[in-house]
Amino acid sequence: MTAPKKLYVKTYGCQMNVYDSERMAEALGEQGYEPTNTLDDADMILLNTCHIREKAAEKVYSELGRFKGLKAAKPDLKLGVAGCVAQAEGAEIMRRQPLVDLVVGPQSYHRLPEMETKTRQGEKALDTDFPEEDKFEHLKSRPKARRAPAAFLTVQEGCDKFCAFCVVPYTRGAEVSRPVDRILTEARDLVERGVREITLLGQNVNAYHGMGEGGSWSLAKLIWALNDIDGLERIRFTTSHPNDMGDDLIEAHGTCEKLMPYLHLPVQSGSDHILKRMNRKHTAESYLRLIERIRAARPDILLSGDFIVGFPEESDADFEATMALVEEVEYGYAYSFKYSKRPGTPAAERPQVDPDVADERLQRLQALITRQQRKIQDEMVGRTVKVLFEKPGKYEGQMVGKSDYLHAVHVADAQVSVGDIAPVRIISSGSNSLAGELI
Ligand code: SAH
Ligand code: SF4
Ligand code: F3S
């Protein structure tokens, strides 16, 4: 038997890329590849890339350049680019960086085995189609390997919303929902392999409308079906759009036992003028009313969001409206970004905000968000939360995991195993995590 080839995968971007990287490793498993964390051992290096902001995309080229030496030392080493930069730039990547052997877009991962064969024959392989066939059906899992207790599961992909700043509708394509039975089968398989928490993924996950018994199912209906799987203890989903927050999903947050009290609901801006220019199709007010309804259903829910500052034409008053919205909502987490001009998107053509002004706004917003995060985290001290333990910590005997609210919690001298869920009393709050003790 020949020794297995080694695959080194580096993942950038969102959780869907994390999920896709696992599926790609499985697809290449069929070609005799085993994963490695050591670059020098690799027979193939695959970068699973992100195109969301300019910096993310540029990083790929500087990273690729660094493999020059490796490739000179090991001529058989294959270099592949997957993900959203692959989709957006296609063959251009091979022109800019001739070391690259393979470019595969997010909808073509199931074709990786044939593409790999082609590279072994000394040819370049490029596939950025949006094929008709269901890539997930081809990406069958390998034999029942044990899994970490928290897993991602893609249920929906792509986006039809076309926010004026965003590349996702171009890189991931039109919105597609996977059928219910495939998702439930995959979920049961994950649970058999030790998974206790599943995060349902989609660029617009709450727009889910996959076919199931009796017709098309909403995300809430899917969550209720997952709730019935024995051994699955926690359900989460991300990312949602405010306009797709259906009544049944809001209600599920109050009544569905396994659905965790955490919701990532990006708003992007607190200014109606900017929201309109962003093509978000909601207002600050409609978002705030939505939050009220969600909190009425589940008062302790922890909210998180995404913000863009310095979007074209954003005035001081527009930015102050964003600050006011954040003050009103009180986020447990929030991610804020300086607007990054993306080629091909409508906002790229518009008058840009002075970068220094945008920087200053970003700093102010981030300071506010950090204060809110810290406050909500500090309020956990003295409370008892359930923690799903995911791995040993840095110190002997320490275990780390996540609370229902997704806070990282570490416990010293913890008599628990990976995969256990146990009540923990929070004793202190650090900058990025909580410390607790088992009770
Ligand atoms: N589907 C998700 C978001 C996907 S991208 C949603 O609709 O919310 C993740 C985040 O990146 C976005 O919420 C947005 O805040 C940010 N983002 C997207 N495009 C950007 C750009 N051109 N510049 C800066 N931030 C951007
Ligand atoms: Fe991008 Fe908007 Fe779609 Fe989210 S909803 S993926 S921000 S276009
Ligand atoms: Fe990035 Fe593509 Fe995800 S652009 S954020 S990897 S969908």
Side-chain angles (χ1 to χ4, degrees), residues 197 199 234-236 253 257-264 295 298-304 330-335 373 376-388 390 401-409 421-422 424 426 432-434:
E197 170 179 308
T199 301
R234 291 172 154 192
I235 304 166
R236 305 180 188 277
H253 270 292
E257 187 203 339
K258 294 179 184 174
L259 185 58
M260 291 291 103
Y262 181 100
L263 178 65
H264 183 60
R295 282 192 165 136
R298 179 80 203 223
D300 63 337
I301 198 162
L302 193 144
L303 292 165
S304 88
E330 292 209 16
Y331 288 95
Y333 290 98
Y335 305 87
Q373 278 179 200
I376 288 177
Q377 212 186 277
D378 292 350
E379 283 166 2
M380 291 285 158
V381 176
R383 284 182 60 182
T384 297
V385 293
K386 279 195 185 142
V387 173
L388 167 60
E390 294 182 7
K402 297 272 167 59
S403 76
D404 293 355
Y405 306 97
L406 213 57
H407 284 124
V409 179
I421 296 177
V424 169
I426 303 302
N432 288 311
S433 64
L434 298 165

Side-chain angles (χ1 to χ4, degrees), residues 12-18 20 48-53 56 83-85 106 157-158 166-168 171-172 203 342:
Y12 303 84
C14 60
Q15 288 122 324
M16 197 172 287
N17 266 9
V18 175
D20 286 343
N48 194 9
T49 62
C50 175
H51 201 248
I52 203 81
R53 284 167 288 274
C84 290
V85 176
E157 194 172 355
C166 184
V167 294
V168 171
T171 61
R172 293 279 168 168
Q203 271 89 28
R342 307 309 291 128

Side-chain angles (χ1 to χ4, degrees), residues 52-53 163 165-168 202-204 239-241 264 266 268 280 306-308 335 337-342:
I52 203 81
R53 284 167 288 274
C163 298
F165 49 82
C166 184
V167 294
V168 171
Q203 271 89 28
N204 252 296
T239 296
S240 299
H241 191 287
H264 183 60
Q268 314 298 354
R280 287 289 293 184
D306 289 342
F307 294 88
I308 294 178
Y335 305 87
F337 313 97
K338 196 162 83 163
Y339 169 71
S340 168
K341 199 166 146 176
R342 307 309 291 128

Side-chain angles (χ1 to χ4, degrees), residues 166-223:
C166 184
V167 294
V168 171
Y170 312 96
T171 61
R172 293 279 168 168
E175 202 184 283
V176 179
S177 295
R178 293 177 70 194
V180 170
D181 59 344
R182 308 250 171 86
I183 295 167
L184 295 179
T185 304
E186 190 169 328
R188 285 191 204 97
D189 174 69
L190 288 170
V191 170
E192 275 171 33
R193 292 157 65 178
V195 168
R196 310 200 69 196
E197 170 179 308
I198 292 180
T199 301
L200 305 174
L201 296 182
Q203 271 89 28
N204 252 296
V205 72
N206 58 345
Y208 178 81
H209 57 269
M211 289 312 286
E213 215 182 294
S216 127
W217 284 33
S218 66
L219 183 68
K221 196 164 176 189
L222 180 67
I223 288 169

Side-chain angles (χ1 to χ4, degrees), residues 188-413:
R188 285 191 204 97
D189 174 69
L190 288 170
V191 170
E192 275 171 33
R193 292 157 65 178
V195 168
R196 310 200 69 196
E197 170 179 308
I198 292 180
T199 301
L200 305 174
L201 296 182
Q203 271 89 28
N204 252 296
V205 72
N206 58 345
Y208 178 81
H209 57 269
M211 289 312 286
E213 215 182 294
S216 127
W217 284 33
S218 66
L219 183 68
K221 196 164 176 189
L222 180 67
I223 288 169
W224 279 107
L226 290 161
N227 194 59
D228 286 339
I229 297 180
D230 285 337
L232 179 64
E233 302 298 338
R234 291 172 154 192
I235 304 166
R236 305 180 188 277
F237 59 90
T238 197
T239 296
S240 299
H241 191 287
N243 292 2
D244 293 313
M245 232 25 236
D247 292 343
D248 58 348
L249 189 55
I250 296 176
E251 198 188 311
H253 270 292
T255 51
C256 183
E257 187 203 339
K258 294 179 184 174
L259 185 58
M260 291 291 103
Y262 181 100
L263 178 65
H264 183 60
L265 197 60
V267 61
Q268 314 298 354
S269 168
S271 150
D272 286 345
H273 166 67
I274 293 297
L275 287 170
K276 199 169 179 113
R277 299 297 283 150
M278 285 176 163
N279 193 31
R280 287 289 293 184
K281 300 196 172 78
H282 57 75
T283 62
E285 187 60 23
S286 69
Y287 179 82
L288 290 170
R289 294 296 78 84
L290 178 61
I291 299 285
E292 260 174 26
R293 288 171 55 218
I294 296 163
R295 282 192 165 136
R298 179 80 203 223
D300 63 337
I301 198 162
L302 193 144
L303 292 165
S304 88
D306 289 342
F307 294 88
I308 294 178
V309 303
F311 185 78
E313 301 164 28
E314 184 186 67
S315 67
D316 285 337
D318 291 321
F319 174 67
E320 294 308 330
T322 298
M323 294 291 279
L325 180 138
V326 175
E327 292 277 11
E328 186 158 346
V329 174
E330 292 209 16
Y331 288 95
Y333 290 98
Y335 305 87
S336 48
F337 313 97
K338 196 162 83 163
Y339 169 71
S340 168
K341 199 166 146 176
R342 307 309 291 128
T345 60
E349 312 300 327
R350 300 186 194 152
Q352 305 291 312
V353 169
D354 179 334
D356 293 335
V357 172
D359 275 329
E360 201 192 304
R361 289 178 188 165
L362 186 65
Q363 279 177 27
R364 277 186 57 205
L365 178 59
Q366 287 185 338
L368 174 60
I369 288 168
T370 308
R371 275 203 304 281
Q372 291 190 346
Q373 278 179 200
R374 198 52 207 260
K375 175 168 173 266
I376 288 177
Q377 212 186 277
D378 292 350
E379 283 166 2
M380 291 285 158
V381 176
R383 284 182 60 182
T384 297
V385 293
K386 279 195 185 142
V387 173
L388 167 60
F389 289 94
E390 294 182 7
K391 57 184 181 208
K394 268 190 287 194
Y395 306 102
E396 181 76 33
Q398 189 191 49
M399 291 287 282
V400 294
K402 297 272 167 59
S403 76
D404 293 355
Y405 306 97
L406 213 57
H407 284 124
V409 179
H410 50 90
V411 176
D413 298 320

